[in-house]
Amino acid sequence: MFDRNLESISHSRPDANCLMSRQVAWRAVLTHFQDRRQTGSWARLGPEAGTAFGIGGLVTSTAFLEFNPISGKADSGPSLTRPMLLIAPELGTFTQEFAYRSWSIALPCSPKSDAMPRRIRVNSTIISACLLTSVCLATFAQTPSLSGRWIVTQDFFGTPRYMRLQLEQNGSKLTGELNGDKLEGTVSDSTIHFVARNEKKDTFEVRGTFAQRILTGTMVATDAANRDHPYTFSLMAKPAPPLEHRAPQRHDFTPAVFYRQFSALNKPVLTVAPGDTIHTTTVDAGGTDENNIRRVAGGNPETGPFYIEGAMPGDVLVVHINKLRLNRDWASSDDSLVDRSLNSDLAAKMKDVGKEARWHLDLASGTASPEKPSAHLAHFRIPLKPMLGCIAAAPSISGAAPGTGDSGFYGGNMDFNEVGEGATVYLRVSNPGALLYVGDGHAAQGDGEINGNALETSMDVELRVDVIPNKRIGDPRIETDDAIISMGLDGSLDDAFKEATSDMAAWLAEDYKLTPSEIAQVIGAAAEYRVSEAADRNAGVVLKLKKRYLQPLAPAAK
């Protein structure tokens, strides 16, 4: 088909010998490329060097692209698994004109000719015929490799759910992970099929087609305990945007609205890049700002959400707390104790408490004291230790958005008094952009937030954000100058204790490559457990390990 087309073109114009020589030159292009494939040399594509096209709409970008014919991979743009027709300027150009109705080919009369290339116009019927045969130029233009990082949007009963898909293509074979679960499958032409399995033996079977780097299809989710009733969902996947670290910027943001749910449906108030710094303010837990103006209903109203470019499900959001500054001279708390702290005798004695207790914040001396103290508390002072009660990366919108008084794997109302200046918080990313919320500033707080409210106040906040790609964590993690800290959040203190222990064990296994025996010895000898939260639906327990004990363990590279 290829030879006959060129021959028919050449006989339709004068100077047939010159035109026939173009056939030799054209073949030389293909042979030259095949030879390069065999030797493993590199070919450069782009405006400076030429353009590569694939018939049938598979047209590469004209942006600079470096392509390795042996590996079939490129450092930008689409990747190829088989040779593509290359036509460099010195050998001719291949361009599309008039919306597929005709194509233009310019070739020199011969590889050694000094004459200017002439342009031949090829009728669209020839292109149409080429599209119908496997021996035409289209045999040299193949679908880009599917290897890489993808973001899946699943239609979960009318609500989008995001998943991370990592694919590795080796010929027609596919391997990789779907949300961390191993998968295996195949790819053929424009169709794809794979099955992912988790530790519970649940399966997720995906079938679909792809065109121009967009995958559409279905997922059949089968519960191992109920295989007779699988669910089928439609889905769409596209390549994940690259995670870029540009020159860091500082953003000053003045909030106009505050939210009372950690919802992924709230419109981001600001978009920032990894490495950027955000300077903003928060209102107190009751909704009052630094000017004593009630801005919103109470219940830990939050500033945000902030959209972090490149953050995707399956990543970890990193929040460095650079500065926390109190911006008014008072805070509000209570004079009662939460139920988890009371036995029956103490509960009876506390029957008449439950009033607001207002505190004076002396910013000059760095202390707090009751604003209207009783006789016994007239000289009672505590040091100011500003902290954020709430930091969250919004959970998936496939579930109901939790209120800002709640906590979980997404962070939220953790109320841990070491989430202060200099600390770093690590949170699981469930949505594109992470969607970071901050709020619930405390001037000081004892362990567990036993009064139900700490010293609640407004605050100036400066954060630096970053992203760790392709890393899975369970519950929130915290790092300070001298310790790493795992946090367990669950309905009881017993279960929160187990969660904190389990997450620290995973941390030591992942980053320090410790065995179960070694993990038990380290935790048993060096762990410090504290009750971080007892006031809310979820109790919190943290496990601290001092970094000085971990330094000799030679952690693996992160």
Side-chain angles (χ1 to χ4, degrees):
M1 185 71 175
F2 175 67
D3 293 345
R4 286 198 297 272
N5 283 340
L6 283 180
E7 187 174 357
S8 64
I9 298 168
S10 65
H11 287 301
S12 67
R13 290 180 179 269
D15 195 8
N17 290 333
C18 180
L19 290 168
M20 287 300 292
S21 70
R22 295 190 181 105
Q23 181 177 353
V24 176
W26 189 289
R27 283 179 173 172
V29 174
L30 302 180
T31 303
H32 185 57
F33 178 69
Q34 289 169 341
D35 288 343
R36 286 195 175 196
R37 180 178 176 84
Q38 292 165 6
T39 59
S41 60
W42 288 74
R44 286 185 178 272
L45 317 181
E48 312 96 315
T51 310
F53 290 84
I55 294 178
L58 299 175
V59 181
T60 67
S61 169
T62 56
F64 178 79
L65 172 70
E66 190 170 65
F67 169 68
N68 183 341
I70 293 296
S71 67
K73 295 183 178 180
D75 62 0
S76 65
S79 301
L80 309 175
T81 56
R82 292 189 287 268
M84 174 177 271
L85 172 65
L86 299 185
I87 308 175
E90 66 273 13
L91 297 172
T93 59
F94 189 53
T95 59
Q96 178 187 2
E97 296 180 345
F98 307 122
Y100 292 98
R101 289 193 299 175
S102 65
W103 297 71
S104 296
I105 301 174
L107 293 172
C109 285
S110 72
K112 296 182 179 179
S113 173
D114 293 328
M116 290 296 292
R118 302 181 186 180
R119 186 168 296 274
I120 312 170
R121 197 164 293 280
V122 183
N123 189 279
S124 61
T125 58
I126 297 176
I127 295 300
S128 299
C130 287
L131 294 175
L132 298 176
T133 177
S134 62
V135 295
C136 191
L137 293 178
T139 59
F140 295 94
Q142 302 296 336
T143 304
S145 171
L146 300 180
S147 295
R149 192 176 183 225
W150 297 68
I151 292 301
V152 177
T153 304
Q154 178 194 49
D155 184 351
F156 186 72
F157 301 106
T159 301
R161 170 187 280 178
Y162 302 107
M163 301 180 178
R164 175 174 62 89
L165 176 63
Q166 187 75 33
L167 291 177
E168 295 295 332
Q169 181 180 350
N170 184 7
S172 63
K173 183 179 180 181
L174 284 178
T175 56
E177 292 184 349
L178 176 66
N179 264 12
D181 298 327
K182 300 293 184 182
L183 68 84
E184 292 184 349
T186 58
V187 58
S188 176
D189 296 328
S190 62
T191 63
I192 185 173
H193 171 247
F194 65 78
V195 178
R197 292 177 173 83
N198 62 20
E199 295 178 352
K200 299 177 181 179
K201 304 298 176 65
D202 302 330
T203 61
F204 307 90
E205 183 176 14
V206 172
R207 294 182 184 272
T209 60
F210 52 89
Q212 299 184 8
R213 302 290 283 171
I214 300 295
L215 168 65
T216 56
T218 59
M219 173 189 291
V220 178
T222 304
D223 188 331
N226 190 16
R227 294 192 179 278
D228 293 335
H229 298 89
Y231 290 104
T232 300
F233 308 98
S234 61
L235 59 81
M236 184 273 290
K238 58 183 179 180
L243 182 63
E244 298 180 351
H245 285 78
R246 302 188 292 269
Q249 297 185 19
R250 187 177 190 272
H251 306 268
D252 290 300
F253 175 74
T254 301
V257 296
F258 303 89
Y259 291 106
R260 300 171 63 244
Q261 286 183 312
F262 297 118
S263 174
L265 296 176
N266 293 327
K267 182 180 179 180
V269 296
L270 182 68
T271 297
V272 302
D276 285 1
T277 296
I278 303 167
H279 173 252
T280 189
T281 60
T282 63
V283 294
D284 68 19
T288 301
D289 67 12
E290 67 274 21
N291 298 313
N292 299 328
I293 297 173
R294 184 76 175 268
R295 301 282 299 278
V296 62
N300 297 337
E302 302 293 299
T303 300
F306 300 100
Y307 187 100
I308 291 79
E309 293 178 337
M312 288 290 154
D315 295 342
V316 170
L317 175 64
V318 184
V319 183
H320 304 281
I321 304 176
N322 290 348
K323 292 181 181 179
L324 294 179
R325 295 291 183 269
L326 302 175
N327 54 19
R328 71 185 196 202
D329 64 0
W330 65 276
S332 179
S333 188
D334 297 309
D335 71 348
S336 57
L337 298 176
V338 298
D339 291 345
R340 281 193 179 100
S341 67
L342 301 175
N343 61 18
S344 57
D345 289 343
L346 184 55
K349 295 175 182 177
M350 290 284 173
K351 62 183 177 64
D352 296 325
V353 301
K355 300 180 291 296
E356 179 186 10
R358 189 155 160 149
W359 290 69
H360 173 67
L361 309 180
D362 189 333
L363 305 187
S365 67
T367 60
S369 57
E371 194 172 82
K372 296 180 179 180
S374 61
H376 291 99
L377 300 181
H379 303 289
F380 183 65
R381 301 282 188 278
I382 61 169
L384 295 174
K385 188 181 178 183
M387 54 160 286
L388 286 175
C390 294
I391 298 183
S396 171
I397 58 178
S398 61
T404 48
D406 212 347
S407 60
F409 68 85
Y410 53 87
N413 189 31
M414 298 178 286
D415 287 326
F416 176 41
N417 55 20
E418 291 197 38
V419 181
E421 191 168 300
T424 298
V425 179
Y426 301 91
L427 299 170
R428 188 197 311 183
V429 176
S430 300
N431 300 282
L435 304 178
L436 169 66
Y437 289 89
V438 295
D440 189 27
H442 298 171
Q445 177 198 296
D447 284 355
E449 199 182 27
I450 299 300
N451 293 127
N453 283 302
L455 273 61
E456 311 285 346
T457 191
S458 60
M459 200 167 291
D460 287 340
V461 178
E462 184 177 289
L463 310 168
R464 180 168 57 87
V465 296
D466 210 336
V467 176
I468 302 175
N470 301 323
K471 185 175 180 65
R472 301 182 71 190
I473 63 172
D475 286 322
R477 296 176 178 178
I478 299 99
E479 186 172 355
T480 63
D481 288 341
D482 68 344
I484 64 172
I485 304 168
S486 61
M487 176 177 287
L489 295 164
D490 217 313
S492 71
L493 286 170
D494 282 352
D495 288 337
F497 187 97
K498 295 172 185 177
E499 289 289 331
T501 307
S502 176
D503 194 64
M504 180 58 76
W507 199 342
L508 294 174
E510 293 162 6
D511 288 7
Y512 295 87
K513 305 304 180 186
L514 299 190
T515 66
S517 173
E518 293 167 337
I519 290 168
Q521 294 175 67
V522 169
I523 291 178
E528 300 176 24
Y529 285 93
R530 287 170 54 190
V531 175
S532 56
E533 170 67 288
D536 299 316
R537 182 182 70 87
N538 277 335
V541 172
V542 297
L543 190 166
K544 296 179 60 176
L545 284 176
K546 294 295 180 62
K547 290 181 178 179
R548 67 175 182 269
Y549 300 137
L550 302 176
Q551 288 174 352
L553 301 183
K558 294 184 180 180

